[in-house]
């Protein structure tokens, strides 16, 4: 699920990377766009999806997540980040995740702590909603900016019926 969501996000990042040249726009404008002043900009939305996916897999496997500097300033750099994240997510063997469904997960934030009774609860109630929300926001920002996106034709996107 995570690799697929990341693959779809990579597709929209690729598509968006072509738009500034075609429309003679400054790519920084598109990368910095947001749907509302207090929401994350496009670049940060992509970073949050990446962080959520790699953090999830690391926590479920009991390993350290790779650290990314959050310095991406181009569509190519965002695509590279997604590709690194997909490689990390896909790099786990099933045996590394054994017992994760019942192992408690604790997330500490500056102002709060979230406790999950097990990895399954963490994945379903926190990770997947965050991955899909921030992916949808990235998509919405690009659609709002006029990037031609749709339900088909994106790299990595597969229709299921």
């Amino acid at each position: 699920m995570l690799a697929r969501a990341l693959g779809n996000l990579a597709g929209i990042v690729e598509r968006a990377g072509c738009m500034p040249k075609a429309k003679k726009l400054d790519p920084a404008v598109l990368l910095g766009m947001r749907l509302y002043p207090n929401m994350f900009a496009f670049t940060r939305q992509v970073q949050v999806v990446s962080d959520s996916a790699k953090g999830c897999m690391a926590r479920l496997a009991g390993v350290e997540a790779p650290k990314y500097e959050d310095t991406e300033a181009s569509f190519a750099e965002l695509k590279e980040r997604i590709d690194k994240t997909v490689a990390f997510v896909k790099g786990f063997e099933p045996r590394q995740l054994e017992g994760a469904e019942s192992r408690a997960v604790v997330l500490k934030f500056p102002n709060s702590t979230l406790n999950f009774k097990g990895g399954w609860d963490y994945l379903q109630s926190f990770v997947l909603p965050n991955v899909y929300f921030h992916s949808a926001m990235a998509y919405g920002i690009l659609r709002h900016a006029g990037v031609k996106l749709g339900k088909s034709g994106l790299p990595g996107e597969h229709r299921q019926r």
Side-chain angles (χ1 to χ4, degrees):
M1 276 187 260
L2 294 173
R4 183 174 180 178
L6 288 162
N8 288 335
L9 184 59
I12 69 168
V13 167
E14 284 180 39
R15 181 84 50 94
C18 298
M19 185 183 167
K21 272 190 272 183
K23 301 268 185 182
K24 296 183 173 61
L25 293 171
D26 178 359
V29 171
L30 196 52
L31 292 166
M33 283 190 76
R34 55 188 79 224
L35 292 176
Y36 195 76
N38 70 350
M39 292 180 75
F40 289 147
F42 176 78
T43 296
R44 186 68 188 131
Q45 299 286 355
V46 173
Q47 292 166 342
V48 170
V49 173
S50 168
D51 290 346
S52 296
K54 68 185 172 76
C56 173
M57 293 305 295
R59 287 180 189 98
L60 294 180
V63 300
E64 189 73 26
K67 302 234 185 303
Y68 301 160
E69 296 299 318
D70 295 339
T71 57
E72 293 84 12
S74 70
F75 291 103
E77 289 174 355
L78 285 173
K79 174 71 169 57
E80 184 180 316
R81 180 189 181 114
I82 294 168
D83 291 345
K84 287 190 304 188
T85 305
V86 169
F88 180 74
V89 165
K90 286 184 169 183
F92 288 91
E93 298 292 328
R95 65 177 168 68
Q96 292 177 274
L97 303 171
E98 287 176 5
E101 68 280 355
S102 58
R103 197 169 35 253
V105 176
V106 178
L107 296 180
K108 294 185 182 199
F109 298 101
N111 297 322
S112 66
T113 299
L114 298 176
N115 293 289
F116 301 92
K117 60 186 171 203
W120 186 245
D121 180 41
Y122 165 63
L123 177 69
Q124 283 196 307
S125 65
F126 185 79
V127 175
L128 292 178
N130 275 293
V131 164
Y132 293 131
F133 174 82
H134 291 286
S135 293
M137 291 303 102
Y139 179 90
I141 289 167
L142 295 178
R143 286 295 303 263
H144 181 70
V147 177
K148 302 262 188 257
L149 299 172
K151 290 186 179 183
S152 63
L154 294 177
E157 188 171 296
H158 306 283
R159 286 189 161 192
Q160 292 183 347
R161 300 263 174 193

